[in-house]
Amino acid sequence: MITSASTLLPVNPTLAIALAVLLVAGAAVTALAGLGHTRAIVTAGLRATVQLAAVAAVVRWALGSRPLLFGFLAVMFAVATWTAGRRLTGNHTWWWAAVPIGAAVFPVVLLLVAIGLLPVEGIALIPITGILIGGALTATVLAGRRALEELETRHGEVEAALSIGLPDREARLEIARPSAAAALIPALDQTRTVGLVTLPGAFIGMLLGGASPLLAGAVQLFVLIALLAVEAVAVAVVLELVAREKISRPPRGT
């Protein structure tokens, strides 16, 4: 017997109280442990509440209108670019974050549409594109931050590589590549352990919607493999941008 989503998680005052308790608990733990993100946790939770409420209203309209659909996707991409860029750097190079996200996501989405696996309908295009943009955002931020931090802390090694004749790009790549590549570990672990440690959202969502376990598994497998491809591209592109100093940080003390 399939359990409906409303039965599993009813939207009522009890849910609101549970969410508030969990948010306060998370903030309290970070405060007690001195982790430094107490206010950020509260703010993120409140923002997520407002944003999801707004998105729920907008998506309803976007599902029935191609212009609104593409406009919604454009907003998703713009927000991802801004978020990734500001996580990487505070200077004018932040906008280059659009390149790894766009280069990773749009070719995959266009290919899926071209071969008929992904219909140009909001009910399919919004969740799939959103998942891929989210994966590209995470990979871009993790790889970019690690690459920039490694180059900053190991600046002397970059200078040493330059002194023996390596071009600037190659010298920076040699130092930054291993740390940037580590950004793929979360996606790899998620794919390796799916079904054994975790049951991801797409799988559970399909089951709650009444799909067969076989179809739910096929959709989840597609999402995981697509995410691996998207995140690999995002990591490779952001690493290249950092090596070419398209994305950079001001030196310490400036």
Side-chain angles (χ1 to χ4, degrees):
M1 180 178 178
I2 299 296
T3 301
S4 69
S6 59
T7 303
L8 177 67
L9 197 64
V11 180
N12 57 28
T14 302
L15 175 62
I17 293 171
L19 291 174
V21 170
L22 289 171
L23 188 61
V24 171
V29 169
T30 58
L32 291 173
L35 302 179
H37 292 288
T38 305
R39 182 175 178 181
I41 286 179
V42 175
T43 303
L46 295 177
R47 281 186 59 175
T49 302
V50 174
Q51 289 167 191
L52 284 174
V55 166
V58 172
V59 166
R60 180 181 177 184
W61 297 103
L63 292 178
S65 168
R66 287 273 178 93
L68 285 177
L69 169 60
F70 293 130
F72 186 75
L73 295 177
V75 170
M76 292 170 66
F77 175 70
V79 172
T81 296
W82 186 86
T83 302
R86 290 307 182 188
R87 287 288 186 186
L88 292 175
T89 180
N91 63 26
H92 65 282
T93 64
W94 69 267
W95 68 270
W96 278 97
V99 178
I101 297 175
V105 173
F106 292 130
V108 173
V109 172
L110 291 174
L111 175 63
L112 294 174
V113 169
I115 63 179
L117 282 178
L118 186 62
V120 187
E121 297 177 4
I123 194 66
L125 203 56
I126 288 176
I128 294 298
T129 306
I131 290 171
L132 297 181
I133 289 177
L137 163 63
T138 300
T140 297
V141 171
L142 288 177
R145 285 176 66 92
R146 288 173 176 173
L148 288 167
E149 288 165 3
E150 197 77 352
L151 289 171
E152 187 175 33
T153 57
R154 298 173 62 187
H155 180 71
E157 294 178 52
V158 176
E159 293 295 327
L162 293 173
S163 69
I164 62 173
L166 277 181
D168 185 67
R169 171 183 170 274
E170 282 71 19
R172 294 168 67 84
L173 278 176
E174 286 296 318
I175 301 302
R177 184 184 285 115
S179 56
L184 291 173
I185 291 176
L188 289 169
D189 286 345
Q190 182 184 29
T191 305
R192 288 169 178 156
T193 61
V194 66
L196 299 176
V197 177
T198 60
L199 293 176
F203 181 81
I204 298 300
M206 292 285 291
L207 289 180
L208 292 176
S212 69
L214 179 62
L215 177 58
V219 171
Q220 185 61 67
L221 180 62
F222 160 74
V223 169
L224 290 172
I225 298 300
L227 276 173
L228 281 178
V230 163
E231 294 191 26
V233 172
V235 169
V237 174
V238 76
L239 175 61
E240 186 67 28
L241 291 173
V242 170
R244 294 176 180 270
E245 297 187 282
K246 299 298 184 181
I247 297 177
S248 61
R249 288 178 179 173
R252 287 184 178 179
T254 62

PDB file of all heavy atoms in Angstrom, residues 55-84:
ATOM      1  N   VAL A  55       8.073  30.149  -3.926  1.00  0.00           N
ATOM      2  CA  VAL A  55       8.302  29.259  -5.064  1.00  0.00           C
ATOM      3  C   VAL A  55       7.088  28.383  -5.329  1.00  0.00           C
ATOM      4  O   VAL A  55       6.703  28.142  -6.478  1.00  0.00           O
ATOM      5  CB  VAL A  55       9.554  28.392  -4.826  1.00  0.00           C
ATOM      6  CG1 VAL A  55       9.612  27.231  -5.813  1.00  0.00           C
ATOM      7  CG2 VAL A  55      10.805  29.240  -4.952  1.00  0.00           C
ATOM      8  N   ALA A  56       6.462  27.888  -4.255  1.00  0.00           N
ATOM      9  CA  ALA A  56       5.278  27.050  -4.418  1.00  0.00           C
ATOM     10  C   ALA A  56       4.186  27.793  -5.179  1.00  0.00           C
ATOM     11  O   ALA A  56       3.488  27.215  -6.025  1.00  0.00           O
ATOM     12  CB  ALA A  56       4.764  26.600  -3.055  1.00  0.00           C
ATOM     13  N   ALA A  57       4.050  29.099  -4.895  1.00  0.00           N
ATOM     14  CA  ALA A  57       3.037  29.892  -5.593  1.00  0.00           C
ATOM     15  C   ALA A  57       3.428  30.144  -7.043  1.00  0.00           C
ATOM     16  O   ALA A  57       2.599  30.057  -7.956  1.00  0.00           O
ATOM     17  CB  ALA A  57       2.829  31.222  -4.866  1.00  0.00           C
ATOM     18  N   VAL A  58       4.724  30.433  -7.268  1.00  0.00           N
ATOM     19  CA  VAL A  58       5.177  30.755  -8.627  1.00  0.00           C
ATOM     20  C   VAL A  58       5.163  29.519  -9.524  1.00  0.00           C
ATOM     21  O   VAL A  58       4.752  29.583 -10.684  1.00  0.00           O
ATOM     22  CB  VAL A  58       6.597  31.360  -8.588  1.00  0.00           C
ATOM     23  CG1 VAL A  58       7.154  31.509  -9.996  1.00  0.00           C
ATOM     24  CG2 VAL A  58       6.569  32.714  -7.887  1.00  0.00           C
ATOM     25  N   VAL A  59       5.600  28.388  -8.985  1.00  0.00           N
ATOM     26  CA  VAL A  59       5.672  27.162  -9.787  1.00  0.00           C
ATOM     27  C   VAL A  59       4.297  26.785 -10.321  1.00  0.00           C
ATOM     28  O   VAL A  59       4.156  26.289 -11.438  1.00  0.00           O
ATOM     29  CB  VAL A  59       6.278  26.011  -8.952  1.00  0.00           C
ATOM     30  CG1 VAL A  59       6.053  24.671  -9.636  1.00  0.00           C
ATOM     31  CG2 VAL A  59       7.765  26.245  -8.759  1.00  0.00           C
ATOM     32  N   ARG A  60       3.279  27.014  -9.535  1.00  0.00           N
ATOM     33  CA  ARG A  60       1.912  26.692  -9.975  1.00  0.00           C
ATOM     34  C   ARG A  60       1.586  27.386 -11.288  1.00  0.00           C
ATOM     35  O   ARG A  60       0.949  26.810 -12.167  1.00  0.00           O
ATOM     36  CB  ARG A  60       0.921  27.102  -8.883  1.00  0.00           C
ATOM     37  CG  ARG A  60      -0.531  26.804  -9.238  1.00  0.00           C
ATOM     38  CD  ARG A  60      -1.451  27.252  -8.119  1.00  0.00           C
ATOM     39  NE  ARG A  60      -2.838  27.023  -8.484  1.00  0.00           N
ATOM     40  CZ  ARG A  60      -3.870  27.398  -7.726  1.00  0.00           C
ATOM     41  NH1 ARG A  60      -3.645  28.013  -6.566  1.00  0.00           N
ATOM     42  NH2 ARG A  60      -5.111  27.160  -8.120  1.00  0.00           N
ATOM     43  N   TRP A  61       2.020  28.640 -11.416  1.00  0.00           N
ATOM     44  CA  TRP A  61       1.775  29.384 -12.651  1.00  0.00           C
ATOM     45  C   TRP A  61       2.755  28.985 -13.739  1.00  0.00           C
ATOM     46  O   TRP A  61       2.397  28.899 -14.910  1.00  0.00           O
ATOM     47  CB  TRP A  61       1.877  30.886 -12.387  1.00  0.00           C
ATOM     48  CG  TRP A  61       0.842  31.377 -11.433  1.00  0.00           C
ATOM     49  CD1 TRP A  61       1.017  31.679 -10.118  1.00  0.00           C
ATOM     50  CD2 TRP A  61      -0.543  31.589 -11.701  1.00  0.00           C
ATOM     51  NE1 TRP A  61      -0.154  32.078  -9.544  1.00  0.00           N
ATOM     52  CE2 TRP A  61      -1.138  32.036 -10.488  1.00  0.00           C
ATOM     53  CE3 TRP A  61      -1.353  31.454 -12.840  1.00  0.00           C
ATOM     54  CZ2 TRP A  61      -2.498  32.349 -10.397  1.00  0.00           C
ATOM     55  CZ3 TRP A  61      -2.708  31.761 -12.741  1.00  0.00           C
ATOM     56  CH2 TRP A  61      -3.258  32.196 -11.539  1.00  0.00           C
ATOM     57  N   ALA A  62       3.995  28.729 -13.367  1.00  0.00           N
ATOM     58  CA  ALA A  62       5.022  28.386 -14.361  1.00  0.00           C
ATOM     59  C   ALA A  62       4.730  27.058 -15.051  1.00  0.00           C
ATOM     60  O   ALA A  62       5.133  26.851 -16.199  1.00  0.00           O
ATOM     61  CB  ALA A  62       6.397  28.332 -13.695  1.00  0.00           C
ATOM     62  N   LEU A  63       4.019  26.153 -14.372  1.00  0.00           N
ATOM     63  CA  LEU A  63       3.729  24.851 -14.957  1.00  0.00           C
ATOM     64  C   LEU A  63       2.870  24.958 -16.211  1.00  0.00           C
ATOM     65  O   LEU A  63       2.928  24.103 -17.083  1.00  0.00           O
ATOM     66  CB  LEU A  63       3.020  23.954 -13.931  1.00  0.00           C
ATOM     67  CG  LEU A  63       3.861  23.503 -12.734  1.00  0.00           C
ATOM     68  CD1 LEU A  63       3.022  22.663 -11.785  1.00  0.00           C
ATOM     69  CD2 LEU A  63       5.084  22.720 -13.189  1.00  0.00           C
ATOM     70  N   GLY A  64       2.089  26.027 -16.295  1.00  0.00           N
ATOM     71  CA  GLY A  64       1.189  26.145 -17.439  1.00  0.00           C
ATOM     72  C   GLY A  64       1.581  27.189 -18.455  1.00  0.00           C
ATOM     73  O   GLY A  64       0.793  27.490 -19.357  1.00  0.00           O
ATOM     74  N   SER A  65       2.789  27.738 -18.347  1.00  0.00           N
ATOM     75  CA  SER A  65       3.199  28.816 -19.266  1.00  0.00           C
ATOM     76  C   SER A  65       4.667  28.665 -19.633  1.00  0.00           C
ATOM     77  O   SER A  65       5.536  28.662 -18.753  1.00  0.00           O
ATOM     78  CB  SER A  65       2.962  30.179 -18.597  1.00  0.00           C
ATOM     79  OG  SER A  65       3.583  31.215 -19.322  1.00  0.00           O
ATOM     80  N   ARG A  66       4.953  28.523 -20.919  1.00  0.00           N
ATOM     81  CA  ARG A  66       6.345  28.394 -21.368  1.00  0.00           C
ATOM     82  C   ARG A  66       7.185  29.623 -20.996  1.00  0.00           C
ATOM     83  O   ARG A  66       8.297  29.478 -20.485  1.00  0.00           O
ATOM     84  CB  ARG A  66       6.382  28.165 -22.885  1.00  0.00           C
ATOM     85  CG  ARG A  66       5.930  26.756 -23.318  1.00  0.00           C
ATOM     86  CD  ARG A  66       7.097  25.797 -23.282  1.00  0.00           C
ATOM     87  NE  ARG A  66       6.688  24.438 -23.635  1.00  0.00           N
ATOM     88  CZ  ARG A  66       6.742  23.939 -24.862  1.00  0.00           C
ATOM     89  NH1 ARG A  66       7.185  24.677 -25.869  1.00  0.00           N
ATOM     90  NH2 ARG A  66       6.365  22.694 -25.086  1.00  0.00           N
ATOM     91  N   PRO A  67       6.717  30.867 -21.265  1.00  0.00           N
ATOM     92  CA  PRO A  67       7.523  32.036 -20.886  1.00  0.00           C
ATOM     93  C   PRO A  67       7.832  32.071 -19.385  1.00  0.00           C
ATOM     94  O   PRO A  67       8.958  32.363 -18.979  1.00  0.00           O
ATOM     95  CB  PRO A  67       6.654  33.220 -21.307  1.00  0.00           C
ATOM     96  CG  PRO A  67       5.805  32.686 -22.411  1.00  0.00           C
ATOM     97  CD  PRO A  67       5.514  31.272 -22.027  1.00  0.00           C
ATOM     98  N   LEU A  68       6.808  31.782 -18.560  1.00  0.00           N
ATOM     99  CA  LEU A  68       7.051  31.779 -17.113  1.00  0.00           C
ATOM    100  C   LEU A  68       7.988  30.653 -16.715  1.00  0.00           C
ATOM    101  O   LEU A  68       8.817  30.803 -15.811  1.00  0.00           O
ATOM    102  CB  LEU A  68       5.728  31.634 -16.368  1.00  0.00           C
ATOM    103  CG  LEU A  68       4.837  32.873 -16.312  1.00  0.00           C
ATOM    104  CD1 LEU A  68       3.527  32.557 -15.608  1.00  0.00           C
ATOM    105  CD2 LEU A  68       5.556  34.023 -15.605  1.00  0.00           C
ATOM    106  N   LEU A  69       7.875  29.518 -17.403  1.00  0.00           N
ATOM    107  CA  LEU A  69       8.750  28.387 -17.136  1.00  0.00           C
ATOM    108  C   LEU A  69      10.209  28.757 -17.368  1.00  0.00           C
ATOM    109  O   LEU A  69      11.068  28.559 -16.503  1.00  0.00           O
ATOM    110  CB  LEU A  69       8.359  27.200 -18.014  1.00  0.00           C
ATOM    111  CG  LEU A  69       9.329  26.009 -18.069  1.00  0.00           C
ATOM    112  CD1 LEU A  69       9.527  25.417 -16.687  1.00  0.00           C
ATOM    113  CD2 LEU A  69       8.824  24.959 -19.042  1.00  0.00           C
ATOM    114  N   PHE A  70      10.497  29.324 -18.544  1.00  0.00           N
ATOM    115  CA  PHE A  70      11.879  29.699 -18.858  1.00  0.00           C
ATOM    116  C   PHE A  70      12.363  30.848 -17.981  1.00  0.00           C
ATOM    117  O   PHE A  70      13.546  30.910 -17.620  1.00  0.00           O
ATOM    118  CB  PHE A  70      11.999  30.056 -20.337  1.00  0.00           C
ATOM    119  CG  PHE A  70      11.780  28.876 -21.250  1.00  0.00           C
ATOM    120  CD1 PHE A  70      10.899  28.950 -22.313  1.00  0.00           C
ATOM    121  CD2 PHE A  70      12.452  27.687 -21.034  1.00  0.00           C
ATOM    122  CE1 PHE A  70      10.693  27.862 -23.142  1.00  0.00           C
ATOM    123  CE2 PHE A  70      12.255  26.590 -21.860  1.00  0.00           C
ATOM    124  CZ  PHE A  70      11.371  26.676 -22.913  1.00  0.00           C
ATOM    125  N   GLY A  71      11.451  31.747 -17.621  1.00  0.00           N
ATOM    126  CA  GLY A  71      11.820  32.826 -16.716  1.00  0.00           C
ATOM    127  C   GLY A  71      12.195  32.303 -15.341  1.00  0.00           C
ATOM    128  O   GLY A  71      13.154  32.765 -14.723  1.00  0.00           O
ATOM    129  N   PHE A  72      11.452  31.303 -14.873  1.00  0.00           N
ATOM    130  CA  PHE A  72      11.742  30.702 -13.577  1.00  0.00           C
ATOM    131  C   PHE A  72      13.093  30.008 -13.595  1.00  0.00           C
ATOM    132  O   PHE A  72      13.883  30.111 -12.643  1.00  0.00           O
ATOM    133  CB  PHE A  72      10.635  29.711 -13.219  1.00  0.00           C
ATOM    134  CG  PHE A  72      10.760  29.141 -11.834  1.00  0.00           C
ATOM    135  CD1 PHE A  72      10.443  29.904 -10.722  1.00  0.00           C
ATOM    136  CD2 PHE A  72      11.189  27.839 -11.637  1.00  0.00           C
ATOM    137  CE1 PHE A  72      10.561  29.387  -9.445  1.00  0.00           C
ATOM    138  CE2 PHE A  72      11.318  27.309 -10.365  1.00  0.00           C
ATOM    139  CZ  PHE A  72      10.991  28.090  -9.267  1.00  0.00           C
ATOM    140  N   LEU A  73      13.389  29.283 -14.674  1.00  0.00           N
ATOM    141  CA  LEU A  73      14.684  28.613 -14.799  1.00  0.00           C
ATOM    142  C   LEU A  73      15.824  29.628 -14.834  1.00  0.00           C
ATOM    143  O   LEU A  73      16.896  29.398 -14.264  1.00  0.00           O
ATOM    144  CB  LEU A  73      14.713  27.743 -16.052  1.00  0.00           C
ATOM    145  CG  LEU A  73      13.745  26.553 -16.069  1.00  0.00           C
ATOM    146  CD1 LEU A  73      13.835  25.829 -17.413  1.00  0.00           C
ATOM    147  CD2 LEU A  73      14.034  25.593 -14.931  1.00  0.00           C
ATOM    148  N   ALA A  74      15.586  30.763 -15.514  1.00  0.00           N
ATOM    149  CA  ALA A  74      16.608  31.812 -15.579  1.00  0.00           C
ATOM    150  C   ALA A  74      16.891  32.389 -14.191  1.00  0.00           C
ATOM    151  O   ALA A  74      18.043  32.666 -13.842  1.00  0.00           O
ATOM    152  CB  ALA A  74      16.166  32.924 -16.533  1.00  0.00           C
ATOM    153  N   VAL A  75      15.827  32.561 -13.402  1.00  0.00           N
ATOM    154  CA  VAL A  75      16.011  33.067 -12.035  1.00  0.00           C
ATOM    155  C   VAL A  75      16.810  32.064 -11.206  1.00  0.00           C
ATOM    156  O   VAL A  75      17.711  32.444 -10.442  1.00  0.00           O
ATOM    157  CB  VAL A  75      14.643  33.351 -11.379  1.00  0.00           C
ATOM    158  CG1 VAL A  75      14.813  33.629  -9.879  1.00  0.00           C
ATOM    159  CG2 VAL A  75      13.963  34.534 -12.053  1.00  0.00           C
ATOM    160  N   MET A  76      16.515  30.774 -11.347  1.00  0.00           N
ATOM    161  CA  MET A  76      17.265  29.741 -10.633  1.00  0.00           C
ATOM    162  C   MET A  76      18.752  29.811 -10.973  1.00  0.00           C
ATOM    163  O   MET A  76      19.617  29.740 -10.087  1.00  0.00           O
ATOM    164  CB  MET A  76      16.718  28.351 -10.986  1.00  0.00           C
ATOM    165  CG  MET A  76      15.320  28.081 -10.467  1.00  0.00           C
ATOM    166  SD  MET A  76      14.623  26.545 -11.146  1.00  0.00           S
ATOM    167  CE  MET A  76      15.717  25.331 -10.425  1.00  0.00           C
ATOM    168  N   PHE A  77      19.046  29.953 -12.255  1.00  0.00           N
ATOM    169  CA  PHE A  77      20.439  30.022 -12.695  1.00  0.00           C
ATOM    170  C   PHE A  77      21.120  31.290 -12.164  1.00  0.00           C
ATOM    171  O   PHE A  77      22.275  31.246 -11.709  1.00  0.00           O
ATOM    172  CB  PHE A  77      20.503  29.995 -14.219  1.00  0.00           C
ATOM    173  CG  PHE A  77      21.874  30.175 -14.781  1.00  0.00           C
ATOM    174  CD1 PHE A  77      22.838  29.194 -14.647  1.00  0.00           C
ATOM    175  CD2 PHE A  77      22.220  31.351 -15.443  1.00  0.00           C
ATOM    176  CE1 PHE A  77      24.115  29.362 -15.152  1.00  0.00           C
ATOM    177  CE2 PHE A  77      23.483  31.529 -15.959  1.00  0.00           C
ATOM    178  CZ  PHE A  77      24.436  30.539 -15.814  1.00  0.00           C
ATOM    179  N   ALA A  78      20.409  32.411 -12.208  1.00  0.00           N
ATOM    180  CA  ALA A  78      20.988  33.671 -11.738  1.00  0.00           C
ATOM    181  C   ALA A  78      21.289  33.624 -10.246  1.00  0.00           C
ATOM    182  O   ALA A  78      22.352  34.075  -9.801  1.00  0.00           O
ATOM    183  CB  ALA A  78      20.027  34.828 -12.049  1.00  0.00           C
ATOM    184  N   VAL A  79      20.370  33.074  -9.473  1.00  0.00           N
ATOM    185  CA  VAL A  79      20.588  32.980  -8.028  1.00  0.00           C
ATOM    186  C   VAL A  79      21.757  32.039  -7.722  1.00  0.00           C
ATOM    187  O   VAL A  79      22.580  32.311  -6.841  1.00  0.00           O
ATOM    188  CB  VAL A  79      19.307  32.512  -7.315  1.00  0.00           C
ATOM    189  CG1 VAL A  79      19.585  32.223  -5.845  1.00  0.00           C
ATOM    190  CG2 VAL A  79      18.209  33.564  -7.446  1.00  0.00           C
ATOM    191  N   ALA A  80      21.840  30.933  -8.448  1.00  0.00           N
ATOM    192  CA  ALA A  80      22.951  30.002  -8.251  1.00  0.00           C
ATOM    193  C   ALA A  80      24.282  30.672  -8.572  1.00  0.00           C
ATOM    194  O   ALA A  80      25.276  30.488  -7.853  1.00  0.00           O
ATOM    195  CB  ALA A  80      22.754  28.760  -9.118  1.00  0.00           C
ATOM    196  N   THR A  81      24.313  31.451  -9.649  1.00  0.00           N
ATOM    197  CA  THR A  81      25.542  32.159 -10.030  1.00  0.00           C
ATOM    198  C   THR A  81      25.952  33.150  -8.958  1.00  0.00           C
ATOM    199  O   THR A  81      27.121  33.212  -8.549  1.00  0.00           O
ATOM    200  CB  THR A  81      25.328  32.900 -11.362  1.00  0.00           C
ATOM    201  OG1 THR A  81      25.088  31.941 -12.396  1.00  0.00           O
ATOM    202  CG2 THR A  81      26.546  33.733 -11.720  1.00  0.00           C
ATOM    203  N   TRP A  82      24.994  33.924  -8.501  1.00  0.00           N
ATOM    204  CA  TRP A  82      25.291  34.937  -7.474  1.00  0.00           C
ATOM    205  C   TRP A  82      25.770  34.278  -6.184  1.00  0.00           C
ATOM    206  O   TRP A  82      26.755  34.711  -5.576  1.00  0.00           O
ATOM    207  CB  TRP A  82      24.046  35.770  -7.196  1.00  0.00           C
ATOM    208  CG  TRP A  82      24.294  36.915  -6.265  1.00  0.00           C
ATOM    209  CD1 TRP A  82      24.734  38.164  -6.584  1.00  0.00           C
ATOM    210  CD2 TRP A  82      24.136  36.905  -4.839  1.00  0.00           C
ATOM    211  NE1 TRP A  82      24.855  38.947  -5.455  1.00  0.00           N
ATOM    212  CE2 TRP A  82      24.496  38.193  -4.365  1.00  0.00           C
ATOM    213  CE3 TRP A  82      23.722  35.938  -3.927  1.00  0.00           C
ATOM    214  CZ2 TRP A  82      24.447  38.531  -3.028  1.00  0.00           C
ATOM    215  CZ3 TRP A  82      23.677  36.277  -2.574  1.00  0.00           C
ATOM    216  CH2 TRP A  82      24.037  37.564  -2.137  1.00  0.00           C
ATOM    217  N   THR A  83      25.085  33.203  -5.783  1.00  0.00           N
ATOM    218  CA  THR A  83      25.455  32.505  -4.553  1.00  0.00           C
ATOM    219  C   THR A  83      26.859  31.917  -4.659  1.00  0.00           C
ATOM    220  O   THR A  83      27.695  32.088  -3.752  1.00  0.00           O
ATOM    221  CB  THR A  83      24.446  31.390  -4.252  1.00  0.00           C
ATOM    222  OG1 THR A  83      23.131  31.950  -4.138  1.00  0.00           O
ATOM    223  CG2 THR A  83      24.808  30.671  -2.949  1.00  0.00           C
ATOM    224  N   ALA A  84      27.135  31.212  -5.759  1.00  0.00           N
ATOM    225  CA  ALA A  84      28.454  30.607  -5.938  1.00  0.00           C
ATOM    226  C   ALA A  84      29.536  31.667  -6.022  1.00  0.00           C
ATOM    227  O   ALA A  84      30.595  31.542  -5.398  1.00  0.00           O
ATOM    228  CB  ALA A  84      28.466  29.739  -7.196  1.00  0.00           C
TER     229      ALA A  84
END
